[in-house]
Amino acid sequence: MNALVALCHFCELHGPRTLFCTEALHPPSPSPSSQTGAPVHGDRDRDGDREGEGLTMRANSSATQRGEMCEGCRSLPASHPGFVSVDDETGIRFLSHQHPRQSQLFSVVRQACVRSLSCEVCPGREGPIFFGDEQHGFVFSHTFFIKDSLARGFQRWYSIVMVAMDRIYLINSWPFLLRHLRLTIQSLQSTALKVFDNEQGVCPQRAVRMNSVFSPAVFPHQRSGNAARSLTSLTQHPNLWASLHSSFSWLLKACGCRLTEKLLEGAPTEDTLVLIERQTGSHALYSSFRLLVWHVLMGNQVIWRGADPRLIQSAFTVLKSLLPVGCVRSVPYSAQYEEAYKCNFLGLSPDVSIPTHVSSSEFSVLVDVSTERSCQMSAVGGEDISSLYQFTISSANTQPTDRGPALLNKLEVALSNENLSVDVVSHCLLCLKEEWMNKVKVLFKFSKVDGRGREDTQKVLGLLGATGPGEEDNVRLLKFWMTGLSKTYKSHLMTAVRGGERSPSQ
């Protein structure tokens, strides 16, 4: 995840200023020959004249800019090449200097700095806050004070900001960022407090100020003197900026590695086609594969009847992976028939009879499994399963399945391609299922939520690629898969629509 971290300061003379910034540079950029966290002097001579590659900030090179910076506004001198660390695992370089390398990032960080120290203030002024927008990025900011015996109120105002374009990323990282930034802030504050106590012990400034005579003539001089103290002076830390570079670099790396994406809709990604992996299945089942999968995709009841529950459960594992998890209702193995409204996958023992209204229905398919040899599945070894079992598929459905649905055609092409590995086929099937689940969501939003008419719905089906040959099967599949949408998703759409309908009148 692309983000950057910056330390900001509110100068009494010049207002909010960026003191130190760390950003990540991804490969294939040149890798500097330097030790982690050490200043790189050779890079400035080699890269300083190349646009966007120099470590010295160009926006700070003018005489006007230098004139507007006091000691308290500056971290590294203009001649300092900055700090570079390299992640050996990923090749990412972490670059630190007073300002970002690119002018676009300079503007983004500058605005985050100003808002964190002037506009966006949390209760008590110290603590974390979140702000931002899509145009200028989103910001996690933590403001804090550093003790200074020469400052007004004996303290100076700072903030550490993390800027990223991904709002969800920053919000989900809030506890992690807060915990580790507070460690850095507490280290700075405790170090500065020791310096403050030592200075107060030598010369208590409160008594000096109480006894001094206020004069408008000397006020500008007093403010100028107070504003010229650097963070290095306040903490007496000789390697302050190198230490902050290490902390910020680690934070960017750790924060980017800790978040992963998870599939929220559909079958888990680790579900694989067991039948394909084991290279099992009979030739009779393969010849009737299209009919069987057609019934699965259409939502009809798929009944397997046999003496081996493990074989039936294995077959159901494969077939259920073709559907969204919300569309699956399964009874793995039963001693009696269960109605279709209870389950669309039903395993039965061989002595269970099928009711007449089911066997004569076009909305069901029966797979009878009989044993060719007297053996158990555990003894199969490397033998083909078709030599052990005979599969008989029967259905009262007379509708031709050669045209559709379109998803079935793509599934068959993927499974019949011998040049594809098992892993590739598994990912292909997962992508196809997700593609059609997205079509389902569009159709649900358009027809059920928006309440559009038949003509408009037909246009949407055309845009979704669900018209043409096999259109009837495509529509039937989409309607069945619509039942697999989560209640949370449906409720979210309905709430959003109702809120949108109210907004014009508010």
Side-chain angles (χ1 to χ4, degrees):
M1 180 61 64
N2 294 324
L4 55 85
V5 185
L7 173 67
C8 307
H9 164 56
F10 189 89
C11 177
E12 294 180 1
L13 286 182
H14 307 113
R17 286 290 186 269
T18 304
L19 284 181
F20 197 71
C21 180
T22 302
E23 56 183 314
L25 184 64
H26 294 262
S29 299
S31 178
S33 57
S34 62
Q35 294 182 351
T36 301
V40 182
H41 298 282
D43 267 18
R44 185 170 181 245
D45 294 333
R46 183 177 69 243
D47 295 334
D49 295 332
R50 293 161 61 183
E51 184 66 29
E53 288 294 327
L55 299 182
T56 302
M57 182 58 196
R58 297 182 178 218
N60 194 32
S61 61
S62 65
T64 303
Q65 282 277 55
R66 289 197 297 269
E68 292 180 354
M69 292 182 63
C70 63
E71 191 65 27
C73 297
R74 182 179 294 111
S75 57
L76 302 178
S79 59
H80 197 291
F83 298 91
V84 181
S85 293
V86 181
D87 183 2
D88 294 332
E89 296 179 359
T90 62
I92 297 176
R93 294 194 303 172
F94 297 95
L95 313 180
S96 295
H97 207 272
Q98 178 149 1
H99 300 286
R101 303 174 307 113
Q102 301 177 5
S103 58
Q104 297 90 338
L105 293 180
F106 176 85
S107 176
V108 170
V109 175
R110 170 63 180 166
Q111 184 179 66
C113 171
V114 172
R115 293 184 65 176
S116 71
L117 293 173
S118 59
C119 307
E120 312 290 346
V121 182
C122 64
R125 301 190 73 184
E126 280 192 294
I129 196 169
F130 179 87
F131 58 88
D133 53 57
E134 296 287 348
Q135 181 179 0
H136 301 97
F138 297 93
V139 181
F140 175 91
S141 171
H142 196 301
T143 53
F144 61 98
F145 290 101
I146 294 290
K147 299 297 289 186
D148 180 5
S149 60
L150 301 181
R152 290 185 299 169
F154 300 104
Q155 60 186 11
R156 298 191 184 275
W157 197 11
Y158 292 84
S159 70
I160 297 179
V161 299
M162 173 173 273
V163 185
M165 297 305 296
D166 193 333
R167 175 177 57 89
I168 302 300
Y169 166 76
L170 279 183
I171 293 177
N172 289 337
S173 300
W174 180 288
F176 177 82
L177 292 173
L178 183 60
R179 180 169 64 253
H180 290 283
L181 287 182
R182 277 181 174 170
L183 294 176
T184 301
I185 291 171
Q186 290 170 0
S187 176
L188 292 173
Q189 290 177 326
S190 61
T191 305
L193 181 59
K194 295 178 182 178
V195 176
F196 174 82
D197 291 339
N198 292 335
E199 293 178 346
Q200 288 292 82
V202 174
C203 180
Q205 289 295 313
R206 187 175 300 275
V208 173
R209 297 181 187 183
M210 292 291 291
N211 296 327
S212 64
V213 178
F214 174 80
S215 172
V218 300
F219 180 68
H221 175 73
Q222 292 173 338
R223 289 202 63 192
S224 178
N226 291 347
R229 205 166 187 203
S230 67
L231 184 59
T232 305
S233 174
L234 296 178
T235 59
Q236 294 296 309
H237 193 321
N239 298 316
L240 172 66
W241 305 118
S243 177
L244 284 178
H245 165 76
S246 298
S247 298
F248 289 172
S249 298
W250 179 89
L251 185 66
L252 287 174
K253 174 179 170 59
C255 204
C257 293
R258 61 179 293 273
L259 295 181
T260 58
E261 294 183 344
K262 294 183 178 179
L263 186 65
L264 300 179
E265 189 83 50
T269 56
E270 64 268 16
D271 277 358
T272 57
L273 299 177
V274 178
L275 191 59
I276 298 176
E277 288 181 350
R278 298 178 180 177
Q279 297 182 350
T280 59
S282 70
H283 300 296
L285 183 58
Y286 285 159
S287 64
S288 303
F289 169 80
R290 189 177 184 90
L291 174 64
L292 179 63
V293 175
W294 182 89
H295 281 279
V296 171
L297 297 178
M298 293 297 104
N300 296 339
Q301 188 176 45
V302 178
I303 306 171
W304 281 60
R305 187 168 56 181
D308 194 334
R310 291 174 297 175
L311 175 65
I312 295 177
Q313 292 175 16
S314 177
F316 282 173
T317 300
V318 177
L319 297 175
K320 289 189 294 185
S321 68
L322 301 176
L323 293 177
V325 292
C327 293
V328 175
R329 304 180 312 280
S330 177
V331 176
Y333 203 69
S334 175
Q336 62 181 12
Y337 173 76
E338 301 290 347
E339 293 292 341
Y341 71 88
K342 293 183 179 180
C343 58
N344 54 336
F345 291 94
L346 175 61
L348 297 176
S349 57
D351 56 341
V352 178
S353 60
I354 307 298
T356 305
H357 73 278
V358 176
S359 59
S360 61
S361 172
E362 64 180 36
F363 301 109
S364 65
V365 60
L366 173 63
V367 180
D368 272 312
V369 184
S370 58
T371 305
E372 288 286 311
R373 297 181 187 173
S374 177
C375 61
Q376 298 296 326
M377 283 290 293
S378 57
V380 171
E383 295 186 63
D384 192 288
I385 196 173
S386 61
S387 63
L388 305 176
Y389 295 95
Q390 181 178 359
F391 301 89
T392 304
I393 301 178
S394 58
S395 174
N397 178 71
T398 58
Q399 180 179 351
T401 62
D402 56 337
R403 288 191 172 185
L407 175 59
L408 175 56
N409 298 330
K410 295 181 178 180
L411 288 174
E412 193 172 34
V413 170
L415 291 172
S416 61
N417 191 336
E418 298 181 355
N419 295 323
L420 301 181
S421 66
V422 173
D423 289 338
V424 172
V425 172
S426 298
H427 283 86
C428 179
L429 299 186
L430 177 62
C431 292
L432 287 173
K433 185 169 62 176
E434 289 301 309
E435 174 191 350
W436 279 80
M437 201 61 191
N438 289 333
K439 297 177 188 289
V440 170
K441 292 177 180 179
V442 173
L443 183 61
F444 176 80
K445 171 67 168 60
F446 196 84
S447 61
K448 302 297 184 181
V449 179
D450 295 344
R452 300 296 184 93
R454 180 179 179 85
E455 183 177 351
D456 289 339
T457 302
Q458 190 68 21
K459 294 180 181 179
V460 171
L461 290 173
L463 293 175
L464 295 177
T467 56
E471 177 179 346
E472 182 179 348
D473 286 347
N474 288 331
V475 174
R476 184 175 169 184
L477 181 149
L478 291 172
K479 290 182 178 180
F480 167 56
W481 283 31
M482 201 177 291
T483 63
L485 291 174
S486 65
K487 295 180 180 179
T488 302
Y489 177 79
K490 294 179 181 178
S491 176
H492 170 73
L493 284 183
M494 301 299 288
T495 303
V497 170
R498 287 195 293 266
E501 292 174 349
R502 290 196 302 267
S503 58
S505 61
Q506 291 176 345

